[in-house]
């Protein structure tokens, strides 16, 4: 039984959010038929020239340099990004908590410290950082997309926020999530649906979709999301961003709220999202240098390892051998993804690296094991949060009849069946199966040593993160390429490669479909909806190989930049 | 329904074991009333002078040096320890798999390699190593105390064994365990009961009790056991040995068999046991230097960290502050343990370190959470292994009527109740509770910074591993001091301090008992059974702080040695 006024309660909370926006930051929104809004911040007139310069500086190191030299104050930088975030909010509905005074107060304190002492507080001095709604901040509500959680004021900062403050950062907005967090799109009853700034009719992905949309609008220089099955990588793919999915317990999750609390078989992890790879590296290094294990008992006692970043275990970054997973044998990637992989292969070969084909290994078994674990409570956790407060969301489709392109029976349902509440013993058997799969996949990877010509197994795997680019709301069903890394705990990154170009991204002729989901995805591309959407790829390294993954992603990005320059 | 011949099957397997002992290594066993047999190897005449010299060299580094210089051959060293192991077997029944020819064949190959090339195969070249029965070796049975597993021949080496071979070691015996592994004593229907060489009427502890008894007899220079609630530390305490319980997934468990397979909430870990701390360090460093994460996907990508061993995070080992947990508030330690802590305090203060009192924090809650997790399958796993093959063992007491000193209702039963099969969701709630307990305990530890005078929180905690020394078979019920570290994943060591001396270890006057278990343990000491039993303590460091724990244990041991010298 839901209370009759559940909708009214959500609407009231949404009005509180609207009221927290300074009136002078409201803009005239473009006409409804303008679907791509990424240029609106440059056109709407709210940002002055300096604010445009600040917010379009995608290299986070460059922003930090300006702050550290005193060229820009933290108040200037925070104001600039806040205004742009509020524009993003009006167009893409990406925010949850908005706290302008508090953030600017913090920025002012940092500026005063700087002018008083001539020194910075820490390596992130003055930098505004956006946070997915899970990252509790003392005195702010932590709603995480649940009506039940309205009014849930945090009594302390989560460890991540505590450390960010020590490092000198300015947490300045929190960002939207889907109800339950377990969707690859972003919609809940309290804050509504987040849209993709490249096409408002499309999803930015999820569950860190608020971050995805905000960053696509350059409404934040650096955001923090989380990932349990692709929740950092799907929005980064759909919004053209860089991210890092670190291994379990490398970065401090303690004190952040979560869905499926206590589910530790496949742990959710947090990671940075940004418009530059420098942002990803700076965040990861700064947090690891702060020894997060001293505050979070679950974090690995393993600081930033510069030698791993310098790729000492990968031939010092010279003459690497990458393997491309063109197709995982479950769902075939759309043509733009295929082109992106081809571009990457070309770029890497031109830079003196080898590229071989990756042979997918037991992908469906791995996926099924993970999906079964995620619903091992039979959905009890979700129901606990919703019952008596709001309906459990059953589809991300905008219409209750679902989207006309929606897939009736996604593959994960036919693999896993209806969520079934397992016993502890049954869960242990799933763990034993997972261990065997991890060992088998590692052996498979190690066996590539016979094909690489480097004396090492493949240095990294390159694949799509999702088989397609951003799709219309309600149509994102694929997490086959991402879940692999969560299940096996491989550290991995996402990096943007190009944009969909109908001139070159012709539909492929139909192949022999692997399953009905593969067929659905194939047919989706024929609808020719995607021009201008960002196309990104995933780079997969070993477990706890975050530094090397960043180092190797830099190599790939540099190679792609050179290729672009050469063809320009 | 058990098959009528289950006993006969076990007896037949035991006869196969007896037949695997070379006849010329059988000794005349001492009369039944000789309870302390640790000197028998020196007296029985089976070992020649060199073999006695070899086996009484407790410093593992000294043995390796002799091997590396060619002073001793691996065949000599392996033969010497094998003979002594077989003596131990005849007195204390500590072995499972005996494979003399195979081990000596391996030793011969290593000697040939050395004489051919003048080089060693690796850092453990030629060193015999004993292994708890869990560590599967290709071609040998892995029975692990279950009648059902007789005839269970391993088709490959576990990762640990694979690495030990690469490092040049000579696995030479496997050692006994209790049925289910979840006892602090060592008895099963196939191989029988293991006895404590310091008093054959006493238990050597468990579950790594076969290792404990073997090492107490100096029948191995270095053994490997496992620990999920104290299984390395209880036998090390009861047998006067050094050990290290590393944190989860630091050392490679992959391919080893286990009880409660897939139970990952509180993972069993493997660790070294030895008569010298050098053995503990050499094993840990050698395995970590071998990059075990390349073979075992669950192992942390964190090699031996020399700077952590040098205690860079602990004032470089100068002026440390230790905290002694004199009493955990659940069961009060026996007088010899109290004296050992006093000696250690004296020794550390004399060496220029500070010693403060540790305030126990939420000990019963932590214990209850862990014990509830261990039986979250309601005992299903145990029953699966026993049903249709043998009875599930319900007591470690030698008589079916139980020992006359046995405790009717141990505290863990009254805390946890009858094993109850939990749902996955209920298990998740236990995980959430455990996370909160870990954070709370870490904060408690960090708060000691106000009392240490070093500017750091307490560097390590020193406590008993068990509230008493070895006890008569069937009477070991305490795992309150050990389980703390498994539940919170603190790395920790055990080191021997002294022996029970009735001259100085007077019973304490009765205190106000915390619970009936505490009362039972108090009364047990009055029975005055313990003269000559080893007394050991536990040193507790942070999570994944293995190197520092070894480094700090060296400091404690050196301080104790100096104190001994001064008082001698």
């Amino acid at each position: 039984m839901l209370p009759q006024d559940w909708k009214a309660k959500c609407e009231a909370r949404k009005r509180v959010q609207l009221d927290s926006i300074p009136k002078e930051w409201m803009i005239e929104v473009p006409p409804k038929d303008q679907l791509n809004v990424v240029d609106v911040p440059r056109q709407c007139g709210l940002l002055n020239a300096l604010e445009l310069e600040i917010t379009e500086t995608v290299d986070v190191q460059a922003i930090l340099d300006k702050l550290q030299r005193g060229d820009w104050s933290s108040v200037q930088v925070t104001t600039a990004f806040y205004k742009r975030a509020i524009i993003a909010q009006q167009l893409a509905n990406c925010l949850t908590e908005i706290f302008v005074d508090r953030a600017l107060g913090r920025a002012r304190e940092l500026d005063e410290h700087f002018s008083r002492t001539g020194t910075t507080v820490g390596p992130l001095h003055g930098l505004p950082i956006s946070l997915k709604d899970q990252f509790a901040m003392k005195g702010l509500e932590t709603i995480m997309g649940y009506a039940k959680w309205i009014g849930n004021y945090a009594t302390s900062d989560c460890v991540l926020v505590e450390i960010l403050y020590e490092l000198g950062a300015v947490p300045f907005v929190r960002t939207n999530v889907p109800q339950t967090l377990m969707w690859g799109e972003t919609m809940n009853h309290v804050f509504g649906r987040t849209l993709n700034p490249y096409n408002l009719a499309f999803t930015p992905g999820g569950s860190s979709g608020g971050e995805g949309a905000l960053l696509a609008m350059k409404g934040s220089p650096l955001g923090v999301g989380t990932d349990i099955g692709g929740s950092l990588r799907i929005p980064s793919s759909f919004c053209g961003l860089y991210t890092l999915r670190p291994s379990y317990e490398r970065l401090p999750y303690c004190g952040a709220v979560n869905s499926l609390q206590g589910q530790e078989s496949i742990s959710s992890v947090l990671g940075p999202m940004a418009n530059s790879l420098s942002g990803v590296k700076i965040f990861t290094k700064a947090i690891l240098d702060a020894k997060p294990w001293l505050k979070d008992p679950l974090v690995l006692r393993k600081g930033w390892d510069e030698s791993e970043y310098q790729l000492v275990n990968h031939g010092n970054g010279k003459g690497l051998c990458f393997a491309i997973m063109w197709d995982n044998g479950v769902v075939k990637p759309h043509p733009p993804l295929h082109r992106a992989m081809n571009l990457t292969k070309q770029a890497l070969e031109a830079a003196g690296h080898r590229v071989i084909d990756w042979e997918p290994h037991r992908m469906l078994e791995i996926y099924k094991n993970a999906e079964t674990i995620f619903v091992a409570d039979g959905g009890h956790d979700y129901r606990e949060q919703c019952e008596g407060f709001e309906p459990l969301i059953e589809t991300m489709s905008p219409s209750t009849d679902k989207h006309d392109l929606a897939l009736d029976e996604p593959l994960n349902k036919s693999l896993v069946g209806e969520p079934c509440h397992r016993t502890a013993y049954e869960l242990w058997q799933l763990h034993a199966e997972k261990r065997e799969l991890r060992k088998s996949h590692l052996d498979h990877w190690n066996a590539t040593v016979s094909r690489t010509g480097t004396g090492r197994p493949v240095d990294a795997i390159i694949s799509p993160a999702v088989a397609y680019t951003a799709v219309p709301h309600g149509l994102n069903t694929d997490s086959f390429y991402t879940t692999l890394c969560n299940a096996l705990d491989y550290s991995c990154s996402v990096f943007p490669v190009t944009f969909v170009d109908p001139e070159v991204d012709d539909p492929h002729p139909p192949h022999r479909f692997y399953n009905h989901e593969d067929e659905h995805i194939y047919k989706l591309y024929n609808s020719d909806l995607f021009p201008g959407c960002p196309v990104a790829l995933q780079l997969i390294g070993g477990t706890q190989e975050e530094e090397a993954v960043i180092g190797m992603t830099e190599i790939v990005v540099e190679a792609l930049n050179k290729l672009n320059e050469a063809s320009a």
Side-chain angles (χ1 to χ4, degrees), chain A:
Chain A
M1 264 301 280
L2 296 181
Q4 291 207 328
D5 62 344
W6 72 270
K7 277 193 180 170
K9 280 187 175 163
C10 291
E11 280 159 16
R13 182 60 187 78
K14 185 75 181 158
R15 274 196 305 278
V16 170
Q17 185 199 42
L18 188 61
D19 291 342
S20 66
I21 297 178
K23 292 293 157 287
E24 62 277 18
W25 290 358
M26 298 301 286
I27 61 162
E28 198 175 320
V29 296
K32 285 227 154 146
D33 60 350
Q34 183 181 333
L35 293 174
N36 184 323
V37 295
V38 292
D39 286 338
V40 171
R42 277 196 291 277
Q43 298 155 346
C44 69
L46 178 59
L47 278 71
N48 63 31
L50 176 64
E51 288 164 347
L52 282 173
E53 187 194 340
I54 289 171
T55 53
E56 305 210 341
T57 306
V58 293
D59 178 2
V60 174
Q61 189 55 57
I63 299 175
L64 286 170
D65 289 347
K66 294 269 196 184
L67 283 161
Q68 280 158 20
R69 284 195 304 260
D71 294 348
W72 293 342
S73 72
S74 179
V75 167
Q76 284 175 319
V77 173
T78 304
T79 304
F81 278 107
Y82 227 131
K83 283 176 154 182
R84 197 154 177 151
I86 294 298
I87 298 170
Q89 168 63 8
Q90 293 170 73
L91 301 169
N93 191 43
C94 49
L95 304 182
T96 58
E97 303 299 315
I98 296 169
F99 41 98
V100 181
D101 291 346
R102 175 168 164 163
L104 288 176
R106 159 79 177 160
R108 206 167 294 117
E109 278 171 25
L110 290 165
D111 288 340
E112 282 163 11
H113 174 97
F114 184 80
S115 49
R116 198 172 61 245
T117 65
T119 63
T120 58
V121 163
L124 302 182
H125 185 98
L127 186 74
I129 290 186
S130 50
L131 299 169
K132 191 175 182 177
D133 208 38
Q134 294 174 262
F135 296 105
M137 293 175 65
K138 189 174 174 176
L140 293 181
E141 281 171 277
T142 316
I143 295 174
M144 208 185 73
Y146 282 126
K148 182 179 178 177
W149 294 18
I150 293 172
N152 176 35
Y153 288 90
T155 53
S156 59
D157 291 333
C158 65
V159 168
L160 176 73
V161 168
E162 210 182 308
I163 291 175
L164 286 175
Y165 278 128
E166 287 172 12
L167 296 174
V170 183
F172 79 113
V173 285
R174 294 242 302 280
T175 57
N176 206 20
V177 298
Q179 187 201 56
T180 79
L181 297 186
M182 298 300 280
W183 289 95
E185 307 197 12
T186 300
M187 193 262 286
N188 63 68
H189 292 130
V190 184
F191 294 108
R193 181 190 300 279
T194 302
L195 316 178
N196 190 318
Y198 285 95
N199 185 329
L200 296 179
F202 282 19
T203 176
S207 65
S208 312
E211 283 298 331
L214 176 66
L215 286 155
M217 295 291 294
K218 301 194 172 68
S220 168
L222 185 60
V224 188
T226 64
D227 192 315
I228 195 173
S231 285
L232 282 163
R233 289 163 291 157
I234 297 167
S236 295
S237 277
F238 287 4
C239 297
L241 306 170
Y242 297 88
T243 191
L244 173 77
R245 188 214 84 97
S247 290
Y248 311 147
E249 316 301 359
R250 189 87 206 262
L251 297 177
Y253 215 113
C254 184
V257 295
N258 204 353
S259 217
L260 313 183
Q261 286 276 20
Q263 186 283 107
E264 299 186 344
S265 315
I266 297 177
S267 292
S268 176
V269 300
L270 70 88
M273 297 167 71
N275 280 290
S276 67
L277 194 50
S278 75
V280 169
K281 183 192 163 188
I282 286 163
F283 174 87
T284 307
K285 182 172 186 311
I287 299 291
L288 291 177
D289 284 347
K291 304 188 176 182
W293 55 87
L294 298 180
K295 293 193 167 71
D296 181 342
L298 271 71
V299 167
L300 306 182
R301 187 181 296 268
K302 178 167 161 54
W304 175 265
D305 188 323
E306 186 67 21
S307 71
E308 292 202 21
Y309 170 66
Q310 297 293 346
L311 300 175
V312 289
N313 299 319
H314 296 276
N316 299 305
K318 310 288 175 219
L320 301 182
C321 180
F322 297 89
I324 293 185
M325 177 154 56
W326 300 94
D327 178 343
N328 65 2
V330 182
V331 290
K332 193 177 165 66
H334 277 186
L337 276 299
H338 201 264
R339 179 167 61 87
M341 289 187 274
N342 255 323
L343 283 171
T344 305
K345 178 177 161 77
Q346 249 183 283
L348 285 170
E349 287 175 345
H353 304 289
R354 279 199 73 186
V355 179
I356 64 175
D357 294 342
W358 178 259
E359 290 165 6
H361 182 71
R362 303 178 71 180
M363 293 292 288
L364 263 182
E365 279 176 272
I366 293 165
Y367 184 78
K368 184 179 170 182
N369 177 268
E371 290 295 316
T372 308
I373 284 170
F374 291 147
V375 295
D377 71 341
H380 186 82
D381 179 274
Y382 309 150
R383 287 194 303 273
E384 277 274 298
Q385 303 311 327
C386 290
E387 256 166 26
F389 287 87
E390 64 180 317
L392 184 63
I393 293 175
E394 310 264 359
T395 170
M396 284 281 142
S397 173
S399 79
T400 46
D401 300 336
K402 295 197 177 176
H403 197 286
D404 57 358
L405 285 169
L407 194 61
D408 287 336
E409 175 90 342
L411 186 53
N412 64 341
K413 260 210 172 154
S414 62
L415 276 176
V416 179
E418 283 305 312
C420 150
H421 202 155
R422 311 273 161 174
T423 65
Y425 180 79
E426 287 167 339
L427 188 58
W428 293 356
Q429 305 323 299
L430 289 166
H431 293 169
E433 179 182 273
K434 179 155 67 76
R435 285 186 176 216
E436 189 276 323
L437 287 165
R438 285 184 70 174
K439 173 63 171 163
S440 170
H441 203 272
L442 181 61
D443 288 346
H444 177 74
W445 189 326
N446 283 336
T448 61
V449 69
S450 66
R451 296 195 290 131
T452 57
T454 60
R456 300 184 302 275
V458 155
D459 293 294
I461 304 164
I462 291 171
S463 82
V466 192
Y468 36 78
T469 61
V471 288
H473 298 292
L475 289 183
N476 179 29
T477 54
D478 170 31
S479 62
F480 299 109
Y481 287 88
T482 48
T483 300
L484 173 73
C485 298
N486 304 88
L488 306 183
D489 200 26
Y490 291 144
S491 53
C492 51
S493 69
V494 163
F495 55 96
V497 176
T498 184
F499 295 89
V500 178
D501 178 355
E503 299 280 308
V504 289
D505 292 323
D506 289 332
H508 292 176
H511 57 287
R512 188 179 165 154
F513 300 123
Y514 304 127
N515 49 62
H516 68 283
E517 186 135 340
D518 182 46
E519 182 174 357
H520 158 80
I521 286 171
Y522 174 81
K523 288 177 177 163
L524 189 58
Y525 191 69
N526 290 339
S527 58
D528 194 26
L529 283 160
F530 304 101
C533 278
V535 187
L537 294 176
Q538 174 174 240
L539 182 143
I540 304 172
T543 304
Q544 292 151 19
E545 219 185 7
E546 290 73 20
E547 296 90 332
V549 162
I550 293 172
M552 289 191 279
T553 307
E554 284 176 359
I555 286 174
V556 175
V557 169
E558 202 180 309
L560 281 165
N561 287 344
K562 278 212 179 126
L563 188 76
N564 274 339
E565 285 161 23
S567 67

